[in-house]
Amino acid sequence: MASKFGLAGGIPERRVRPIWDAVDSRQFKNALKLCTALLSKYPNSPYALALKALTLERMGRNEEALSVCLNAKEILCTSDPNVFVDDLTLSTLQIVFQRLDHLGMATSCYEHSCAKYPNNLELMIGLFNCYVREYSFVKQQQIAIKMYKTAGEERFLLWAVCSIQLQVCCGNGGDKLFQLAEGLLKKHITSHGLHEPEALSVYISLLEQQGKYGDALEILSGSLGSLMLIEVDKLRLQGRLLARAGDYAAAADIFQKVLELCPDDWESLLQYLGCLLEDDSILIKETDPVHTLKSIQSKNLHISDELFDSRMSSAVRFVQKLMETNSNSERCPYLAHLEIDRRKLLFGKGDADKVVEDLIQYFIRFGHLSCFTSDVEMVLEVLDTNKKSEFLKKLVKENEASSTDVPTKELGKSITVFKVQNLIGDVFALPVAGMHSVISFYDLIWFTLLLILIVCAHLSSRRIMLFQSIIFLTLWQLFWRTRDLGYLLESIMILEFGLTIRRYVWQYKILLVHLYTYWNSLPLAYERYKSLDVKNILLETVSHHILPQMLVSPLWADLNDLLKDYLKFMDDHFRESADLTFLAYRHRNYSKVIEFVQFKERLQCSGQYIMAKIESPILQLKQNSNNITEEESILENLRCGTHFMELSNEIRSKSLTFNEDLKLRPWWTPTSDKNYLLGPFEGVSYCPRENMHNQMKQTESNVLKTVEKRSLLPRMIYLSMYSASTSVKGSIEANGSVVDPKFSSELKMLLERYAKFLEFPFQDAIELVLGVSSGQKPFEVPNSDIIDWMNFAVFLNAWNLSSHEISFPDGKDSPSTTWNLVNTLLRKYVFDKIESAGPIISSPGGDLPLLVQLVTEPLAWHALIINSCIRSLHPSGKKKKKGGPVDQSNSQLSNELLNSIQSLCDTIEVVSKWLKEQLKKPSDEKFEYIFSAVEKNGPGKVFKTLETCVEQMKGVELGDRILESLQSWAPADVVRNISAGQDGLLSEFLKICELKIKSLQALRLQL
């Protein structure tokens, strides 16, 4: 409105434009000068103040910016009629308030202005925007209805309806609110009708959410249905509504029309068959990937046998018609034929021989495609073992007999045969010699025929991965069976060679991340992960490839960068997601409004996000564990750990979401907490769907448990330090502190809760720890639980220092005895892991991460507790008291502390000595050891074929880039990089150990 008169915020635009130009060009000092000059002429202009605040905020002077904003707000909220108020001023203030995390103040400015100018539509839209940013759905509805009454525009009514839907879907509103929204729409339709396709979608979704499918169908078939312009979309919606209304026959007819228009629509085909069988489970929208599997494997037949036969016959005729009227390139009709056969077998009415024959025909048409195995997997599941073997024999015979002029198709079929053998399990019945014959056959075909095609860029990266899958799968299986490092090295070399030729193939990089991690070369794995250039939402879906390994590594600087980048993206997204939501409102894309809000809530409940929020401060605590002053400062910023206690309580009241794309993971590690290669050979090369479902559920349960457990750590560390400090007799007089009994009881409560995570009652957990430390009880727990038990013992000692509640079996009830308990446990398990650890270069998947955790967590927390006691024994500026029972008790404690420090030093010295032994080996010796692994009998065939082909390619005209890549390819560099990565990991761990020893020695001097 102001711009029509050449004004901006009540100020001539020619005076304002230079400021915006300076801000946009990042000339903030110049912009600030211009703002100062402007304010000298307009000292009480809210817009001039808003511009100055914006400039100060961009310069990083946040406190000054907030002060100027508050000044502008105070002027705006006065009753002075001369104060100019417009949306430009308010929106500028809103930008600054939002960036300073004071959005509520911007909202109050808009609320005051709307009250002052009740019919100003621009201000009401701005206020609606504020409520969108605050996710205040009720207030959104109220202001939207007010705008609708003021302007009578359809869009404002739809804003109100969307706000009502959000109250039910994402808030605490009841289903009765849907009736209110429906009433508003009906009233509007009666008087004005609907004019936007999105308005029709909102109305139908509203009716569908209430189960009013008949009303929705009536709307869709009436005059309003013409708003939906794409006929096939209208039919799909109509079919779904009919099915949900229970009219399966009519729904089947509709889906038949959809398939006639879109014969390759597989989802509609499944819905068509579901309607014929009156199975409504196929229509349920479900995020669980196994839900669809269960629905189409359902054996509950709701119709008679005669009706089943009749409808399946009708489906066969329809599918046959689709085959005849469409091109051979469309898979859906042929796959539909197999699906019908599968359903017949599922209900005991099919012919297994016919299914095998149909599978062979499908192979003849589509066997060269990479999707063939996944297409037929569910059909193979309903065949018995004999029929699977029969199908496999026919498949091999057909592949040998077939010939084609297209070599890639021929090779694609050969690969399909291998993948089917792998799926059925036939490959794993082969002895190791048989696996070698597979390699000998396929490396000859693959490396001589396809290397030329790959180098000449005739193949897509997806097809290259398909061709290489045989070699990789066979090599990994051979490594798993024989534990021969040569097979592992060959796999890495092939992948590195592929990246030399095609440097952007992300599949290679992900495989290398996992292989390098497994071979204790985490720095190299992290480099490969960084080369993926993961950004934006991929940080949520792809980080699982590296983050769990980094959390238990000594690469703290890299881990800090990883966590910081991930958390920054997530926090920025939460801050900016409201902008996307409001844009969806303005662009009248109302389905996206709900989608954006639900997506934001899904990310906020992400298990990985919550884990990262917890692990980031824990990392700070680990990094500063040698400095008790820094540790206390970190804990103070964490509100002494109470913030994460609140987070832990919230976790139990809501379900976490898991957004990781697990399909990208290698078969041997289907989830982050499962790695087949760490155990004995099991004869699998993929995780079956049902097993995958169970594994995912177990992983999600483990993540929830871990998140709750880790969220207790900062508070338990704080309480342990406090208990240790105040337990020192005489410390009250020395430093003036007062022992708070609530702290001791709170620490006990947390220990009881921690024991529940270990699946032990509190007293039983204490007895087990006492028994293990004295050698009277065995202690066999998974490696993943050892750290938790050590943490429990450390915090148990701190609690007992002030509570004196633990009684020992030998009659010693002195709390100082628990010092020896912790020292013994830590020493025992560190020594055990060192003794069982082989050379890191020849021991992939060893216990190095567990050793790192033992040193950087329970041992570090124990040292902090010792430090707290020493500081209380010798407070600065106070003279020691001599004589008396207090001094005698403290003398006894000093001896215990000295013994504990010596025990920790000895323990870490053992780790440090082992690390130095690993690092002192000459690089040439390590190189020879690794490289010789591919020159022995057994492994090396693929590697030698690769070298031969590379030499042959160097004489072919390939282009400068590829020729340069081939000439730069050096297998020896791969080996050297692996060795350097392992040394880098050990060196970082050694630095941590040496700093820890130095810190403990300094503590000993204080005593």
Side-chain angles (χ1 to χ4, degrees), residues 40-266:
S40 65
K41 187 169 182 63
Y42 302 94
N44 294 320
S45 168
Y47 185 54
L49 289 168
L51 288 174
K52 182 178 180 180
L54 178 67
T55 305
L56 289 169
E57 189 277 326
R58 295 292 173 88
M59 297 174 73
R61 294 158 65 174
N62 292 349
E63 291 184 4
E64 293 178 62
L66 180 60
S67 175
V68 174
C69 276
L70 291 175
N71 188 15
K73 177 178 178 291
E74 185 178 349
I75 295 172
L76 278 171
C77 294
T78 61
S79 57
D80 186 354
N82 296 320
V83 174
F84 190 89
V85 179
D86 66 347
D87 185 59
L88 181 59
T89 302
L90 293 171
S91 62
T92 306
L93 277 175
Q94 183 193 37
I95 292 171
V96 184
F97 275 130
Q98 183 182 354
R99 292 174 68 93
L100 296 175
D101 292 325
H102 288 282
L103 184 58
M105 294 184 178
T107 304
S108 66
C109 288
Y110 268 106
E111 287 174 339
H112 179 271
S113 300
C114 285
K116 191 174 181 180
Y117 305 100
N119 295 320
N120 189 313
L121 202 59
E122 278 190 355
L123 296 181
M124 286 192 281
I125 291 175
L127 180 57
F128 181 83
N129 185 12
C130 287
Y131 291 148
V132 168
R133 293 178 187 280
E134 293 179 348
Y135 296 94
S136 301
F137 305 133
V138 175
K139 292 182 178 179
Q140 285 177 215
Q141 172 200 335
Q142 292 169 348
I143 194 67
I145 289 177
K146 185 177 180 181
M147 286 189 285
Y148 173 64
K149 290 179 178 178
T150 301
E153 294 183 27
E154 182 176 287
R155 58 170 175 153
F156 297 133
L157 175 65
L158 294 172
W159 289 11
V161 170
C162 273
S163 300
I164 292 172
Q165 286 182 302
L166 287 171
Q167 290 175 55
V168 180
C169 300
C170 306
N172 301 319
D175 291 345
K176 290 184 177 180
L177 286 173
F178 285 140
Q179 297 176 10
L180 169 62
E182 183 187 352
L184 290 171
L185 278 171
K186 277 185 176 179
K187 185 177 179 181
H188 178 81
I189 291 170
T190 303
S191 57
H192 299 90
L194 289 179
H195 304 91
E196 301 175 20
E198 273 289 318
L200 176 64
S201 298
V202 169
Y203 191 21
I204 289 178
S205 70
L206 197 61
L207 294 171
E208 199 172 354
Q209 286 169 317
Q210 298 178 81
K212 297 181 178 181
Y213 306 117
D215 293 348
L217 284 165
E218 185 179 342
I219 294 294
L220 196 61
S221 58
S223 58
L224 292 178
S226 60
L227 291 173
M228 191 167 284
L229 303 178
I230 302 175
E231 182 64 21
V232 71
D233 288 346
K234 185 177 178 180
L235 288 172
R236 288 191 186 105
L237 177 57
Q238 191 176 354
R240 190 176 79 240
L241 291 171
L242 284 167
R244 291 191 171 180
D247 192 348
Y248 293 108
D253 292 339
I254 294 296
F255 284 121
Q256 207 166 311
K257 292 179 181 178
V258 173
L259 290 167
E260 288 171 353
L261 293 171
C262 301
D264 218 25
D265 187 344
W266 177 243

Side-chain angles (χ1 to χ4, degrees), residues 422-448:
N422 173 39
L423 184 65
I424 292 175
D426 182 71
V427 172
F428 309 109
L430 293 174
V432 172
M435 299 287 283
H436 283 150
S437 66
V438 171
I439 286 184
S440 299
F441 172 72
Y442 280 107
D443 70 3
L444 178 64
I445 295 178
W446 186 70
F447 281 115
T448 55

Side-chain angles (χ1 to χ4, degrees), residues 21 103 153 255 479 496 675 816 821 936 970 989:
D21 291 341
L103 184 58
E153 294 183 27
F255 284 121
F479 168 71
E496 288 289 2
N675 191 329
S816 61
L821 178 152
K936 301 182 296 185
F989 189 21

Side-chain angles (χ1 to χ4, degrees), residues 72 77 221 254 262 369 452 609 612 636 665 674 747 765 927 1003:
C77 294
S221 58
I254 294 296
C262 301
L369 299 177
I452 299 172
Y609 172 61
E636 185 179 346
R665 296 184 70 87
K674 177 67 176 178
L747 183 54
F927 173 83
L1003 284 178

Side-chain angles (χ1 to χ4, degrees), residues 981-992:
Q982 293 173 342
D983 288 350
L985 187 68
L986 295 176
S987 297
E988 288 298 321
F989 189 21
L990 181 60
K991 288 178 187 176
I992 293 171

Side-chain angles (χ1 to χ4, degrees), residues 766-965:
I766 293 176
E767 290 174 10
L768 180 61
V769 168
L770 294 177
V772 171
S773 66
S774 62
Q776 297 175 359
K777 289 186 178 182
F779 189 53
E780 297 179 358
V781 297
N783 283 350
S784 58
D785 290 341
I786 287 178
I787 303 301
D788 297 327
W789 276 103
M790 296 300 106
N791 282 336
F792 177 78
V794 168
F795 299 137
L796 184 70
N797 170 51
W799 168 69
N800 192 55
L801 291 175
S802 58
S803 67
H804 317 292
E805 290 189 24
I806 296 180
S807 59
F808 290 82
D810 57 2
K812 297 178 182 179
D813 57 357
S814 170
S816 61
T817 311
T818 53
W819 290 105
N820 185 51
L821 178 152
V822 177
N823 299 334
T824 303
L825 284 175
L826 288 172
R827 184 170 58 248
K828 169 182 170 56
Y829 284 98
V830 169
F831 285 13
D832 286 350
K833 294 305 172 185
I834 291 292
E835 288 175 4
S836 62
I840 194 168
I841 198 170
S842 60
S843 306
D847 287 331
L848 182 62
L850 185 63
L851 269 175
V852 173
Q853 278 189 286
L854 280 168
V855 171
T856 58
E857 291 197 21
L859 195 148
W861 313 146
H862 191 44
L864 271 175
I865 292 168
I866 293 171
N867 201 339
S868 296
C869 287
I870 292 174
R871 191 172 60 171
S872 294
L873 276 172
H874 306 292
S876 59
K878 299 289 182 179
K879 293 182 179 180
K880 285 186 180 181
K881 294 184 177 182
K882 295 184 179 180
V886 171
D887 187 64
Q888 183 179 358
S889 174
N890 287 346
S891 176
Q892 181 183 355
L893 178 59
S894 295
N895 291 332
E896 291 290 346
L897 293 173
L898 278 171
N899 292 336
S900 296
I901 290 172
Q902 187 60 50
S903 176
L904 291 183
C905 283
D906 293 344
T907 301
I908 302 174
E909 283 285 1
V910 171
V911 179
S912 180
K913 181 181 177 182
W914 177 77
L915 291 171
K916 289 175 181 177
E917 288 175 356
Q918 303 291 318
L919 288 167
K920 74 178 181 181
K921 293 179 181 178
S923 300
D924 292 341
E925 181 182 329
K926 295 176 185 177
F927 173 83
E928 288 298 329
Y929 179 85
I930 298 177
F931 201 77
S932 63
V934 293
E935 297 177 344
K936 301 182 296 185
N937 291 329
K941 292 182 179 180
V942 178
F943 170 67
K944 289 169 186 174
T945 307
L946 173 61
E947 281 193 317
T948 302
C949 290
V950 169
E951 288 302 319
Q952 293 174 354
M953 289 300 99
K954 288 181 180 178
V956 179
E957 191 66 35
L958 299 171
D960 293 340
R961 188 190 68 81
I962 294 177
L963 184 61
E964 183 182 346
S965 298

